[in-house]
Amino acid sequence: MGELDVKAAATLVAAAADVALVVGDNGIIRDMACQSPELRSALEGHGPLLGQTFADTVTTESRPKVEALLREAGDKATPRRQVNHPSTRGMDVPILYSAIRLASGPLVAVGRDLRPVAELQQRLVEAQQSMERDYTRLRHAETRYRLLFQMSPEPVLIVDTSSQRVVEANPAAAQTFGDLGRRIIGRPFLEAFEPDTVPAIQALLAGVRSAGRSDSTRARLVDSGRTVFVSASLFRQENASLFLVRLSLPERDGAGAGTESRAKLLRFFEHAPDGIVVTDRDGRLLAANPAFLDLAQLASEEQARGESLERWLGRSGVDLNVLVANLRQIGSVRLFATTLRGELGAQAEVEISAAAVANGAEPFYGFTVRNVGRRLPTDARAGREMPRSVDQLTELVGRVSLKELVREATDVVERLCIEAALELTGNNRASAAEMLGLSRQSLYVKLRRYGLADAGDHGETEE
């Protein structure tokens, strides 16, 4: 160390390494310095290092390395040796030592803590093992997919969305296409069908590409003239979009008959005179037929998809909450009276029936909306017969305002009281007026108002 004093030399050695040990000729540790108190605590887990033989502070397999390190120490740094110190925390503490003998006699072993490197290596090993497990899972999944794809009795094809060429076809599809099936890979998908059915298939693929789903369509094979039902779905693979196309053969397994029945049912929904709406459990539209679009004054289904049904119902924040609450508790709602507002300001009196449909973890709701405006007069008060009971009054809830309902209830009570008074007095108008605390003129006015006056009844009009 030249002219450096002991303190300066110790500071230099401690700053140059994570740990430094001063070892005497007999191999006993005379002094030590650590940059980190945590490292010192880990090294001295089984007791202080000072006063112990250097070889006794390491694990059994590291002792030959310590002996070689001490034996080869000279005035120049020895080759580095990695040794492990035992620790009470479970894992050994790896230290990379290099030793140099000072001119005054002692040997200084300077070491670098390899725990960060060991942790990094452990993480790399775990990451590699995780990648191997993922790769194995993917390989097994691909094997299962290949086996299912090849053994499926249903004709299935993979079609590229941009070129509409067949990328892959299972044996059932090759057998279905006959002679064309042997060379169908790489050829345009639409070549396999009769020209007059190609536009329907193109419309099917366009609907799948834009909306992600579409109904099946009927087509005929060009090679055999057989009728098949074509359905498709969209998926992505390695930054490319592909169609998964399935063919149903009604002659073979009757699957096409069920598909055709479902297609007829969907066509009925499309042409139904009542509005039909499908929503998620929060009331947001998933699909709507043209009749509902007409009621809501919308140009296309895309304008309604994703919007809340509450947007068009008469009482915002009330009607949809009542409907959804009943659907969740009971499962169905019948003839719920309300109004429906169009986008352009038109209003229609409607009755809504709904049902909840189980769909795994994501149920959906179906609503039918019927316009009952033709049943109701234009002037609800003038054209409607006054209700004669509480039951008739409750039927008006949702069709008229609360203020008008209260007025109707008052009229019902007043009429019932007048009828009771006339019945008690034997239809004596004067006695009935006295019993009710009314003047005769007021009673005559109310009799005419409620349609209870006889043709001969007449009195002065009440001011």
Side-chain angles (χ1 to χ4, degrees):
M1 292 297 181
E3 299 179 355
L4 292 176
D5 56 17
V6 176
K7 184 177 181 180
T11 303
L12 178 62
V13 172
D18 293 326
V19 61
L21 304 177
V22 179
V23 184
D25 294 336
N26 54 1
I28 297 176
I29 300 174
R30 296 166 53 186
D31 198 1
M32 70 176 296
C34 286
Q35 283 192 355
S36 168
E38 188 273 336
L39 176 60
R40 186 182 187 109
S41 175
L43 293 174
E44 295 183 339
H46 292 281
L49 299 186
L50 296 180
Q52 294 192 51
T53 304
F54 189 10
D56 293 338
T57 64
V58 299
T59 58
T60 303
E61 65 274 7
S62 297
R63 288 182 179 180
K65 299 179 182 180
V66 171
E67 295 172 355
L69 184 70
L70 298 177
R71 186 174 56 252
E72 297 171 2
D75 57 352
K76 294 183 179 180
T78 61
R80 296 180 176 182
R81 308 278 182 170
Q82 178 182 339
V83 301
N84 295 325
H85 290 271
S87 174
T88 56
R89 301 179 183 179
M91 295 183 62
D92 297 336
V93 181
I95 303 292
L96 183 63
Y97 282 106
S98 179
I100 185 169
R101 187 174 297 278
L102 302 180
S104 58
L107 180 146
V108 178
V110 293
R112 177 181 298 173
D113 186 4
L114 297 182
R115 287 181 300 173
V117 178
E119 291 177 1
L120 180 60
Q121 290 175 342
Q122 181 65 27
R123 290 180 182 177
L124 289 175
V125 171
E126 292 175 355
Q128 181 67 26
Q129 292 176 345
S130 177
M131 292 176 61
E132 290 292 339
R133 288 193 296 269
D134 292 342
Y135 175 73
T136 302
R137 275 198 302 269
L138 289 175
R139 188 171 62 235
H140 291 168
E142 182 179 3
T143 302
R144 290 192 293 268
Y145 156 74
R146 288 290 177 187
L147 183 62
L148 179 62
F149 186 75
Q150 295 295 328
M151 296 185 62
S152 173
E154 184 179 47
V156 180
L157 302 97
I158 307 297
V159 180
D160 183 72
T161 56
S162 57
S163 63
Q164 293 191 358
R165 292 181 177 273
V166 178
V167 177
E168 197 170 355
N170 68 345
Q175 183 180 2
T176 300
F177 289 121
D179 294 337
L180 184 62
R182 290 191 291 270
R183 58 182 190 278
I184 192 65
I185 306 298
R187 299 184 65 84
F189 170 64
L190 298 178
E191 283 187 358
F193 300 94
E194 293 284 354
D196 59 334
T197 61
V198 167
I201 301 177
Q202 289 177 329
L204 170 73
L205 298 180
V208 172
R209 187 186 295 110
S210 61
R213 59 180 178 81
S214 183
D215 302 329
S216 62
T217 187
R218 183 192 293 265
R220 291 193 311 278
L221 300 178
V222 68
D223 195 37
S224 61
R226 299 172 66 185
T227 299
V228 296
F229 291 93
V230 183
S231 60
S233 57
L234 187 69
F235 70 97
R236 292 188 61 82
Q237 179 179 343
E238 296 181 354
N239 298 325
S241 297
L242 301 171
F243 290 122
L244 178 67
V245 180
R246 296 179 299 167
L247 307 180
S248 300
L249 304 176
E251 303 87 2
R252 187 185 65 190
D253 53 9
T259 305
E260 184 177 7
S261 299
R262 289 192 293 271
K264 290 179 179 178
L265 188 59
L266 290 174
R267 286 196 293 271
F268 163 73
F269 287 159
E270 288 293 325
H271 296 86
D274 295 334
I276 299 177
V277 178
V278 178
T279 72
D280 60 16
R281 61 182 306 167
D282 295 324
R284 297 193 174 276
L285 267 74
L286 302 176
N289 71 338
F292 177 81
L293 299 180
D294 290 341
L295 287 172
Q297 297 179 315
L298 297 173
S300 64
E301 186 180 359
E302 284 70 22
Q303 292 179 311
R305 190 176 291 120
E307 297 290 336
S308 175
L309 184 60
E310 182 182 9
R311 172 178 172 181
W312 298 282
L313 294 184
R315 292 169 294 186
S316 300
V318 176
D319 289 345
L320 183 61
N321 291 340
V322 172
L323 289 168
V324 171
N326 281 274
L327 289 174
R328 290 176 178 174
Q329 295 177 4
I330 304 175
S332 64
V333 176
R334 296 178 182 273
L335 303 179
F336 180 84
T338 184
T339 59
L340 190 138
R341 300 188 305 271
E343 290 292 316
L344 303 181
Q347 289 194 3
E349 299 286 338
V350 297
E351 287 181 348
I352 297 179
S353 298
V357 181
N359 186 33
E362 293 295 332
F364 61 88
Y365 302 142
F367 297 84
T368 59
V369 183
R370 173 167 295 180
N371 187 352
V372 295
R374 295 181 181 178
R375 302 186 204 163
L376 304 176
T378 304
D379 186 351
R381 182 170 177 83
R384 184 179 66 244
E385 181 183 356
M386 190 182 67
R388 300 181 58 86
S389 66
V390 176
D391 291 339
Q392 292 178 344
L393 265 178
T394 56
E395 292 178 0
L396 299 179
V397 175
R399 298 181 180 178
V400 298
S401 64
L402 178 62
K403 183 178 180 181
E404 189 171 351
L405 279 174
V406 172
R407 189 162 55 246
E408 293 282 2
T410 303
D411 291 346
V412 169
V413 173
E414 193 173 53
R415 175 172 180 163
L416 292 176
C417 291
I418 293 174
E419 289 179 341
L422 291 174
E423 183 176 355
L424 290 174
T425 60
N427 206 27
N428 188 317
R429 303 295 195 267
S431 299
E434 183 179 357
M435 181 180 293
L436 296 171
L438 297 174
S439 65
R440 295 176 61 186
Q441 292 82 358
S442 297
L443 178 62
Y444 289 140
V445 170
K446 295 182 183 297
L447 290 175
R448 287 195 296 272
R449 176 182 176 185
Y450 299 132
L452 301 176
D454 297 333
D457 289 339
H458 47 115
E460 298 180 9
T461 303
E462 185 179 25
E463 298 295 339

